[in-house]
Amino acid sequence: VKSPAEPDLPRTTRRATIRDVARLAGVSASTVSRVLHGAEQVAPDLADRVTSAVQALGYRHNVAASNLRRADGSSASIGVILEDISNPFFSAIHRGIEDVARDRSVLTFAGSCDEDAHLERELVEAFLARRVDGLVIVPAAGTRDHGYLGRDMQAGVAVVFVDRVPRFLDADTVVTDNARGARTAVSHLAAAGHRRIAFLGDHEHLFTAQERLRGYREALTQHGLVEDPALVLHLGVRAADASAVAIALLERAFPPTAIFSAQNLITLGALSALQQTGRQHDIALAGFDELPFAEFLAPPVPVVAQDPYALGRTAAELLFSRLDGYTGTPRKLVLPTRFGL
Amino acid sequence: VKSPAEPDLPRTTRRATIRDVARLAGVSASTVSRVLHGAEQVAPDLADRVTSAVQALGYRHNVAASNLRRADGSSASIGVILEDISNPFFSAIHRGIEDVARDRSVLTFAGSCDEDAHLERELVEAFLARRVDGLVIVPAAGTRDHGYLGRDMQAGVAVVFVDRVPRFLDADTVVTDNARGARTAVSHLAAAGHRRIAFLGDHEHLFTAQERLRGYREALTQHGLVEDPALVLHLGVRAADASAVAIALLERAFPPTAIFSAQNLITLGALSALQQTGRQHDIALAGFDELPFAEFLAPPVPVVAQDPYALGRTAAELLFSRLDGYTGTPRKLVLPTRFGL
DNA sequence: CTGTTAGCGCGTTCAT
DNA sequence: ATGAACGCGCTAACAG
């Protein structure tokens, strides 16, 4: 209910369009467009007038509108879906992607799906509705089928999976050599004489957890050890959980003499458990993923280090090679790990 | 140079448009649009035919085109500019923003400017060219003037600054109470009897570093201590630097008896220095920013904890309140810290 | 309730 | 070298 005496004064001024610029410069919109795109065949004085008008009006190019008309219809943006953008492992992947994208003036959307398949799908669709040129995805553990993406790939969207493999879809993928990394670490423990080595991993339906368990088993076999199912534990990734589970493990009647923790936060939990029970010098520990404070630990904990930044860079490179016209068969890259203190 | 015998077969199929859907469903484009937006006044059978056609063609809504025609012209996306998306402090801010944005189905662009004013500006303009509805910015230390954003704010873009204050622009801002946090920590050291307390901070032109130094000085004054300029050191944030500088500090003829390190990575460096020189039990240490592994340290290091996630959430809330129509004077929020082990 | 028309901001023909 | 006209995909306004 508004009185006619109080007209609705917009407190926001309308954005200048290319026509406004054209009018002020006394040229046509086409000429402005040409100047904006650095075309050569514009008279210098006209170009100057256009540039001044752009400045004067605070004109900002609208890439969405531009993209609509353009032939290739590239939006110069990509979408990144991670488990959690605030987890250092994933944010390093994110940064790797960003750096490669930035070199091509491509912007990056990012979203966390918190291991939720439904959220993952929602993010994919939201990105696609913004017409991203490509998608980099760390699949949620629960996603049963990525096949629906086939049609979008057909339509020209470049899709690359990182850290975990897609299901029911043949697409470019970059993962770490999880099995080999785990095998190396567990072999190290076995070589030191341990025969009862526990495996502490996260959700058993997680690709990386499965692969690391596989590596653990390979190492046992390799050293002539028999797996004791009671020593293989799967849990959530929260450090608090891991700590409680590890304490229970250590307080068993017949505890392990060594622990292989298959993930970052789990190593933290195991560390805490060893500290709380005062067993840090009795029970050996080795882990997957780097620890930022490894040097301050006594005794030191050897870890399998992956390179998440390289994971991200490599994924982005695969993505852009597709956008550059590569149409070959999907590439499956496996990046090595480094084991040590 | 292409032979006519080899026509350029597009290996990508054209995306279905709303007209394609309309044709297949035997309705008009408007009807499809109405169904897509959940309008009530469409006959159920028509709606069903539209839905099937959408499925059959793998149609994906184009929000850019939609946004172009729509009255309010909101793109349902925002841009976030941080120093480094892979730094845990900033990625926690990022996540806070994302969570608030997601509740409103708003997507998030993110970019790192690595403390480079030029990159910051480039990112801002790239986001604006994509017509983001709002911008959350952690200003680069070197940015001299954010005034250029005034015009875009006038045009309706919501702009919020986080962690550091803008220059020459009056806008919504959320920062941590850096001075008070530092004062608390340094007071703690002074109360323990220390009279020679060193300050290890990063770039002196960084807002947070300045504020923390201010807090350090307030604490000294409060405890009747006189500042010794030789004990106030500014450095880069890389832990390696901090370690070297701290070692040099400890090896002086007249070293401090306590160190206040004003940032995350610097605390890491100081810790390393104390460890390398074997002085960890002789020289007291307190730091700004949380340490993920505090519980494993001996002796424990008390720290000033900020809440970057809350910083992000709060910033996003200010942003969306603007988009919701708030037009009052810019708000300057200061979030508290928590000091302890 | 449904279809038709026009136009959002822009780039691309095609004339000139 | 420059401008006029058209259309990208979509939706607001109107007509029926």
Side-chain angles (χ1 to χ4, degrees), chain B residues 240-321:
Chain B
D241 283 9
S243 171
V245 170
I247 288 177
L249 178 67
L250 296 175
E251 288 176 345
R252 285 187 190 170
F254 195 29
T257 64
I259 296 176
F260 171 61
S261 90
Q263 196 253 14
N264 222 333
L265 299 178
I266 296 177
T267 307
L268 227 58
L271 227 31
S272 170
L274 288 172
Q275 187 134 321
Q276 286 176 58
T277 57
R279 314 279 286 272
Q280 63 267 43
H281 293 280
D282 307 332
I283 299 197
L285 177 64
F288 211 106
D289 292 331
E290 247 171 333
L291 262 21
F293 50 94
E295 63 175 305
F296 305 120
L297 256 30
V301 176
V303 294
V304 181
Q306 4 177 13
D307 187 346
Y309 179 79
L311 234 30
R313 280 201 76 98
T314 308
E317 278 155 8
L318 291 183
L319 190 154
F320 287 114
S321 83

Side-chain angles (χ1 to χ4, degrees), chain A residues 78-149:
Chain A
I78 61 175
V80 177
I81 299 174
L82 305 167
E83 184 195 320
D84 177 5
I85 55 174
S86 69
N87 175 318
F89 175 75
F90 296 110
S91 66
I93 292 180
H94 187 182
R95 181 66 202 248
I97 296 166
E98 184 200 2
D99 284 354
V100 174
R102 191 206 298 285
D103 286 343
R104 316 185 44 133
S105 300
V106 167
L107 258 39
T108 307
F109 278 113
S112 310
C113 71
D114 292 323
E115 225 55 279
D116 177 334
H118 182 66
L119 264 180
E120 177 193 320
R121 176 90 183 235
E122 272 188 8
L123 280 169
V124 166
E125 310 208 317
F127 290 152
L128 256 14
R130 265 78 170 185
R131 289 297 183 274
V132 293
D133 301 331
L135 244 22
V136 179
I137 304 174
V138 175
T143 304
R144 299 180 182 284
D145 189 352
H146 287 98
Y148 72 96
L149 279 166

Side-chain angles (χ1 to χ4, degrees), chain B residues 108-157:
Chain B
T108 307
F109 278 114
S112 310
C113 71
D114 291 323
E115 225 54 278
D116 176 334
H118 182 66
L119 264 180
E120 177 192 321
R121 175 91 184 235
E122 273 188 7
L123 280 169
V124 166
E125 310 208 317
F127 290 153
L128 256 14
R130 263 77 170 186
R131 287 300 183 274
V132 292
D133 301 331
L135 243 21
V136 178
I137 304 175
V138 175
T143 303
R144 300 181 181 283
D145 190 351
H146 288 98
Y148 72 97
L149 279 166
R151 184 170 243 151
D152 295 288
M153 290 166 67
Q154 191 65 25
V157 180

Side-chain angles (χ1 to χ4, degrees), chain B residues 62-122:
Chain B
N62 184 334
V63 304
S66 169
N67 167 282
L68 200 54
R69 187 62 180 90
R70 278 187 114 94
D72 69 341
S74 134
S75 66
S77 65
I78 61 175
V80 177
I81 299 174
L82 306 168
E83 184 194 319
D84 177 5
I85 54 175
S86 70
N87 176 319
F89 175 75
F90 296 110
S91 66
I93 292 180
H94 187 183
R95 181 65 202 248
I97 297 166
E98 184 200 3
D99 284 355
V100 175
R102 191 207 299 286
D103 286 344
R104 317 183 47 130
S105 300
V106 167
L107 258 38
T108 307
F109 278 114
S112 310
C113 71
D114 291 323
E115 225 54 278
D116 176 334
H118 182 66
L119 264 180
E120 177 192 321
R121 175 91 184 235
E122 273 188 7

